[in-house]
Amino acid sequence: MKGRLMKTTTPIEMDALVLTERNSELVRARMVCPAPAAGEVLVRVKASSVNPLDLKIKSGQC
């Protein structure tokens, strides 16, 4: 859909890594994408990563 606006009325789901508490495992979950408010945009991300700061936050060091 390059160059096209995507309009939808049904909720769009996304995969997310969720941290429920410090020192717990990251759990993969399906979540409903937040709807953008006026003046905001929703960006589709094809790939992401976990970096060292994420791991420090996970372990409670930050």
Side-chain angles (χ1 to χ4, degrees), residues 3-5 7-8 10 17-19 21 23-25 29 38-39 42-43 45-46 48-50 54 57-59:
R4 292 186 189 170
L5 292 178
K7 292 186 178 189
T8 181
T10 59
L17 289 178
V18 180
L19 181 65
E21 60 185 53
N23 295 318
S24 66
E25 294 297 315
L42 182 62
V43 177
V45 176
K46 189 162 184 155
S48 183
S49 66
V50 176
D54 296 322
I57 292 169
K58 176 189 170 298
S59 68

Side-chain angles (χ1 to χ4, degrees), residues 18-37:
V18 180
L19 181 65
T20 56
E21 60 185 53
R22 285 185 179 170
N23 295 318
S24 66
E25 294 297 315
L26 291 168
V27 178
R28 185 177 176 183
R30 293 287 290 168
M31 302 178 77
V32 175
C33 291

